[in-house]
Amino acid sequence: MLFGRLRDVFQTLRFRLMLWVTLVVSLITLAALLTVHQFVYNTLLNEFDQRLKDDIGEVASSIRQNPIGPDLHHALNVKARNHSLRGWFVQLYDADHNLIWATDDAPNIKHALLYSDRLMALEEGPLRIVQSRFEPPSRPAVIIRLGSTMESVIEDIDLLNWIMILAGASILILAPVVGYLLAGRALRPLAWIIATTARLQPKKLDERLPVRGTGDELDQLSRTINGMLDRIAAHLGSSNDFIANAAHELRSPLAAIRSSVEVALDRLRTPDEYAALLVDVADETSRLGNLVNRLLLLAEGDAGRLEGADQTAQLDGIVRESVEMFGAVAESVGVEIEIAQLDRASVPGDDFHLRQVVRNLLDNAIKFTPPEGRVHVSLQADVSHEMATLVVRDTGIGIPPEDLPRIFERFYRVDKSRQRQSGTGLGLAICHAIVNALGGSIHVESVQGKGSAFTVVLPMQRSVEGKSGSSAAA
Ligand code: ADP
């Protein structure tokens, strides 16, 4: 239990950040302390050596003034006793390195340094020694060796060591504590994000993560998650609207069928009356079937099943065939329909779906164009950019500018009173879903009272494309 809790704590980001902070601070502190220690030690030693070298200079000038004899011995012994450096001593050697004289209590040192004539300092156990060759005028050369115990330096270094150990230990204790507190403070917004995200429910997506306005990574994370929540909420909202609208649209043909059946059952009727009622039922059933098919198509689009990437459709054939099919309808309402340009274009996609796109656009164009109006269709293949552009242009009633941005939404219909025939408001949404799934785009330009132009751009199949340049009128 306790072990489990500890393991949970060890796994936290806070704990790991604390460890990193402690590690980095400890390494930096260790390096800094070692550098300072070395620097202070060198400085103390240099000062110590400098004092000994100054003393050598003084002894040399005494030798220059007095010959080596009792007076000099006395003076140097007094100096040795009163010197501020503990264990200070002088030894004088002749040029052959034989000891001539030494102050009282001078240690007996046998060392290679003796054979060097340069001014140099050396550590000899607890002693620091300097030595120099001196040639007094018109007298034989003397080697002056001078030294002292290093106790004062060692004491200073010991004190420095203690201070450093205390400083290091305090930093080692404080680093994890401060690191843990700082990490907790830095990660507090993350805890809010986790708590708020845990509270979110699919049915209640109105809560958003707090943005503190600092612009740091955690604010960016909150903004990103909020953006994602906005998109999910919008998606859920439109799905709910879609279901509600679909139910609503399904209800009217069902109600019509039910009422026709009820009228038929109400009393005995003539065969002609039954026939008329059955025709109504058949009409409503086909409307219902049509609606269900459209809804299924949109559902397929939502499920990402409209891609049809492994199939190829001959778009020019579909356009020609659809225009021919709508020719009679157009003629019956006094609208002229013609193909202005028809390039050969094969596009990746399913025949059935592409037919839906072309037919929806033609159907709308004829539906919303008054008699004596015209519908122009053109299909242009841009081989260099591998793009096929289909334009369906009419001289119809046009679409008000305020409706244009919503025209491809599901169930969206411009003022229903304009509708000459009943519509579901799904045709353009289906076109949009299919074209998007095929990697293309669809857009509309429209001037109210003058007409509309729907443009579909689709990527072409990479195979050979030729321009037939044909034009046809239906
Ligand atoms: P429906 O399937 O009911 O025709 P659409 O999604 O195809 O619905 O069209 C949505 C709305 O866009 C229609 O209600 C209509 O008002 C408007 N619209 C579509 N095409 C045209 C057009 N060529 N001219 C004018 N209005 C159009």
Side-chain angles (χ1 to χ4, degrees), residues 22 25-27 29 166-177:
T22 309
V25 169
S26 305
L27 286 178
T29 307
L166 276 179
S170 320
I171 288 170
L172 273 186
I173 293 168
L174 281 178
V177 177

Side-chain angles (χ1 to χ4, degrees), residues 384-399:
S384 56
H385 293 101
E386 297 182 328
M387 287 290 177
T389 307
L390 169 71
V391 182
V392 177
R393 187 185 301 278
D394 64 55
T395 58
I397 57 174
I399 301 164

Side-chain angles (χ1 to χ4, degrees), residues 167-215:
S170 320
I171 288 170
L172 273 186
I173 293 168
L174 281 178
V177 177
V178 174
Y180 196 69
L181 292 176
L182 285 180
R185 200 181 149 80
L187 295 175
R188 202 176 300 148
L190 202 57
W192 291 339
I193 293 174
I194 292 169
T196 316
T197 316
R199 271 201 307 276
L200 291 173
Q201 297 291 335
K203 282 186 191 156
K204 196 176 165 292
L205 278 179
D206 47 355
E207 202 171 350
R208 291 290 176 273
L209 300 176
V211 177
R212 292 160 305 137
T214 53

